[in-house]
Amino acid sequence: MTTMTELPAKHPPGGTAAGGGRNSTGRTPGRRRRPSGALAGWLSVAPALVVILGFTFYPMVQSMLLSTDHWNLLGPRTFVGAENYSAILGAGTFRTSLLNTLVFTVITIAGTYVLALATAMAANRELASARFVRTVTVLPAVIPMVVAGLVWKWLYEPDHGLINTLIGLFGADGARWLFDNDLALPAVAVVSVWKEFGIYALILLGGLQRIPDEIYEAATIDRAGPWRQFRSITLPMLRPAGAAVFLLLLFNSFKVFDQVWVMTEGGPGTATLTVVTFIYTRLLTDVGVASAASVVLFVILLAITLVRLKLTSREES
Amino acid sequence: MSKSPNRLAPALWLTAVTVFAGLPVLWMALTSFQPMEDLVGTGRHLIPDHLTAGAYHEVVSAFPFGRWFLNSLLVALAVVAGNLVFDTLAAYGLSRIRFRGRQAVLTLILATLMIPTQVILVPLYLVMRDLDWIDTYWALIVPFLASPTGIFLLRQHFITLPVQLDEAAAIDGAGRLRTLVSILLPNSWAALGTVAVLKFMWTWGEFAWPSLVTNNELLRTLPVGLAQFQNQFAPRWDLLMAGSVLAAIPVVLAFVLLQKTFVSGLTGGAVKE
């Protein structure tokens, strides 16, 4: 990333020289290569840098070091090399958690994307009610995830929950949702869809509004039907916003924890055990294994971020 | 006003998603005002027979809910204040002062953008243990006093402000700090508001970290208290929903009042970068 090019280009050539001539205290932005500039620069970033280095960067490095050790916080710490990695990647539980996270991610992305896109397209047409709709659909995003998890746990409650009560009104039998091995994971994913789709709809709406009406008008003249217009105009022209939404969803889905912990604690059995849930359950008893799992998660998130950066830099150029 | 099918479909869809988004929130509120026997009774009605604030009384008197609420508020406000000061300073230095090592600092901060708390839970816990900060407010506040997201958002904003503003101030004899406070900040309320609102919301909702570093019941934040309280009183949905409403109120209130800032923050933070 370049820095100077991001400053406004309209910098008048004469301005700096004039200011620099008059001012000798080192404050003039035009002439910053002075000791006082270095001092001021480092002073300005120091507090934030200390916090970020000490409480994010250093722990990240530690995470990698811990991942090659065997340690239960009390006994001695012994170096075991790649043993933790081969242990978690070779055996069942962690692989289950990776697979669960992947399934959770696919459901969340598909559900959120479809809901958000349909909502954005509807709102793009029907602007009269947009304000109310926006307020209500974004509301879940601000509610704490623990609260969202508890509310949905109550909605899913098999005997008295709203969902089974509503199903009962139609004379059908409800499901056991969070207590069902096959349904628990999708049920937990629905909470994420519910919480986030409003925001992503707004991002996509922003993208939709940047598509010029003339393109649709021209397509209508050429007798392209609605489906054809959607496929050949909307989707391709929405790609920048769409890609951003996709990668953000991917990144966030891999970190899922709060609602899982509140709703199922990873159960029934290991049906909803996600990667962070796996880490959390071993955090204080098996530091090496928890750290190795953290590093694996980090590598996944890193890969997603690199793709994201590549896409944004391609768009900028 | 007759609508063509072309307009009816979007309106129907918007109604459906509004119900999907709003109904759980409404249900939470309704449940919190119903007596427990009405919630689990046979032949219960979807429209409540009678409403009561009993659950709120019980939840506030039987548990240190007031304390948890104040803890959440203290932690969130402290984190917001820290970010407003530290992130602003760093963003200023990284956009306005040229110094050796600036690029390295910037790269480092951007790199930490992709390290969520979830992947450093273990080592960060150990750092807290070494500092003897387990079961203290320090553990809940200090690690989050500055954030790459805040620095990034503010820096992006400072870059859009013309340098001539600074130059004019410098000619008038204003120092760097003075320029920042009296020239840049008054032009940055929207960006500062966004950082404040996002930090407040995220800190308020934080769960994994505060439940890891607090064992003392009196140090819990609201989400942690709520989650542990459900383990003890699992079937009491009236109490759980009353507690949930209390935990949601500050952020929902802030959202309704500052909707524009919330929305621009949530969407802006997502698409920019």
Side-chain angles (χ1 to χ4, degrees):
Chain A
M1 202 182 212
T2 51
T3 47
M4 285 315 288
T5 49
E6 282 163 343
L7 291 171
K10 292 166 290 184
H11 206 288
T16 24
R22 205 204 128 185
N23 206 314
S24 57
T25 48
R27 292 166 190 147
T28 324
R31 293 180 58 186
R32 274 163 293 201
R33 282 181 193 278
R34 294 166 203 240
S36 72
L39 185 65
W42 281 103
L43 278 178
S44 70
V45 296
L49 202 57
V50 167
V51 172
I52 290 171
L53 278 179
F55 300 114
T56 305
F57 203 77
Y58 169 76
M60 191 62 237
V61 175
Q62 276 296 312
S63 208
M64 295 174 188
L65 296 177
L66 287 164
S67 73
T68 55
D69 285 355
H70 190 75
W71 193 25
N72 64 6
L73 279 186
L74 303 169
R77 211 175 132 173
T78 45
F79 179 80
V80 294
E83 199 178 280
N84 291 326
Y85 289 96
S86 53
I88 58 169
L89 293 171
T93 324
F94 182 72
R95 275 163 61 167
T96 309
S97 80
L98 262 181
L99 190 67
N100 283 342
T101 309
L102 207 63
V103 173
F104 172 89
T105 302
V106 170
I107 299 173
T108 305
I109 293 183
T112 310
Y113 206 95
V114 169
L115 272 190
L117 183 58
T119 306
M121 288 179 65
N124 203 21
R125 292 270 185 88
E126 182 72 39
L127 286 165
S129 56
R131 207 185 134 73
F132 177 73
V133 170
R134 189 182 71 183
T135 305
V136 178
T137 50
V138 176
L139 183 65
V142 304
I143 289 177
M145 198 36 126
V146 167
V147 170
L150 286 174
V151 170
W152 278 89
K153 195 175 179 180
W154 168 224
L155 293 173
Y156 282 130
E157 209 272 327
D159 299 321
H160 310 288
L162 178 63
I163 294 173
N164 276 359
T165 308
L166 288 177
I167 292 175
L169 289 182
F170 294 98
D173 280 336
R176 300 203 39 87
W177 305 113
L178 298 175
F179 301 98
D180 183 307
N181 271 318
D182 300 322
L183 290 175
L185 193 56
V188 168
V190 166
V191 181
S192 283
V193 175
W194 172 74
K195 206 165 178 307
E196 309 288 343
F197 86 93
I199 298 212
Y200 293 110
L202 282 178
I203 299 174
L204 291 175
L205 181 60
L208 283 177
Q209 285 172 347
R210 260 174 255 130
I211 304 176
D213 285 339
E214 294 82 49
I215 301 184
Y216 289 107
E217 283 158 18
T220 313
I221 293 168
D222 290 345
R223 301 205 193 166
W227 175 242
R228 187 68 212 271
Q229 291 190 14
F230 175 73
R231 272 193 48 210
S232 309
I233 302 172
T234 311
L235 280 187
M237 300 223 35
L238 202 58
R239 257 196 65 194
V245 165
F246 177 79
L247 290 167
L248 204 66
L249 272 167
L250 195 63
F251 190 88
N252 288 334
S253 299
F254 264 95
K255 311 186 302 190
V256 59
F257 172 72
D258 292 5
Q259 85 259 40
V260 174
W261 195 252
V262 167
M263 295 173 84
T264 62
E265 288 193 21
T270 54
T272 57
L273 190 85
T274 62
V275 173
V276 179
T277 319
F278 175 91
I279 295 171
Y280 206 78
T281 50
R282 281 151 186 83
L283 214 54
L284 303 178
T285 49
D286 205 341
V287 176
V289 162
S291 298
S294 302
V295 172
V296 172
L297 178 61
F298 174 70
V299 169
I300 294 171
L301 296 176
L302 181 69
I304 297 171
T305 309
L306 289 179
V307 174
R308 231 175 120 187
L309 286 177
K310 204 169 176 191
L311 278 184
T312 32
S313 66
R314 188 188 297 164
E315 263 154 43
E316 272 162 16
S317 59
Chain B
M1 196 174 77
S2 77
K3 284 182 176 177
S4 66
N6 219 358
R7 297 201 57 189
L8 190 62
L12 280 177
W13 175 259
L14 289 182
T15 312
V17 291
T18 308
V19 170
F20 172 62
L23 191 59
V25 182
L26 190 70
W27 200 246
M28 161 179 79
L30 263 183
T31 304
S32 73
F33 287 108
Q34 285 174 267
M36 191 59 199
E37 55 271 26
D38 284 14
L39 294 174
V40 295
T42 45
R44 62 176 294 222
H45 305 112
L46 286 178
I47 310 296
D49 296 330
H50 40 277
L51 298 176
T52 156
Y56 287 90
H57 270 286
E58 199 174 337
V59 96
V60 173
S61 55
F63 306 94
F65 247 84
R67 175 70 189 251
W68 295 347
F69 192 92
L70 289 178
N71 287 342
S72 279
L73 203 62
L74 172 80
V75 170
L77 290 179
V79 169
V80 168
N83 275 275
L84 284 182
V85 177
F86 295 165
D87 294 358
T88 304
L89 276 175
Y92 176 75
L94 292 173
S95 64
R96 285 298 206 262
I97 309 174
R98 252 224 262 181
F99 59 97
R100 193 188 279 269
R102 176 170 108 161
Q103 190 54 43
V105 173
L106 191 65
T107 310
L108 186 98
I109 286 173
L110 284 176
T112 48
L113 258 179
M114 67 187 139
I115 307 177
T117 317
Q118 284 91 333
V119 304
I120 52 167
L121 283 171
V122 189
L124 194 55
Y125 176 86
L126 295 176
V127 172
M128 296 299 117
R129 208 180 65 151
D130 292 344
L131 290 169
D132 221 357
W133 280 0
I134 303 292
D135 260 332
T136 67
Y137 287 116
W138 303 121
L140 301 176
I141 296 170
V142 179
F144 312 103
L145 283 179
S147 75
T149 338
I151 296 172
F152 185 76
L153 277 171
L154 289 168
R155 181 175 170 272
Q156 292 296 88
H157 173 73
F158 286 161
I159 285 170
T160 65
L161 297 176
V163 196
Q164 287 90 325
L165 282 178
D166 304 38
E167 285 165 1
I171 290 169
D172 289 344
R176 282 210 170 86
L177 202 59
R178 184 77 197 275
T179 310
L180 171 63
V181 172
S182 56
I183 307 290
L184 293 185
L185 293 191
N187 285 302
S188 308
W189 293 130
L192 291 168
T194 304
V195 171
V197 150
L198 285 181
K199 278 287 138 192
F200 185 86
M201 185 181 77
W202 287 338
T203 313
W204 186 271
E206 197 64 54
F207 172 64
W209 177 250
S211 52
L212 184 64
V213 291
T214 55
N215 300 312
N216 183 344
E217 191 182 59
L218 291 178
L219 277 172
R220 281 177 197 154
T221 57
L222 214 36
V224 181
L226 203 56
Q228 290 180 346
F229 155 77
Q230 78 140 347
N231 291 335
Q232 296 161 28
F233 297 88
R236 288 300 303 274
W237 293 107
D238 56 336
L239 299 187
L240 276 171
M241 290 303 106
S244 293
V245 169
L246 292 178
I249 277 179
V251 255
V252 170
L253 216 61
F255 168 66
V256 173
L257 292 175
L258 306 164
Q259 217 191 112
K260 257 201 165 137
T261 318
F262 257 109
V263 167
S264 74
L266 290 170
T267 54
V271 274
K272 272 184 214 151
E273 197 172 53

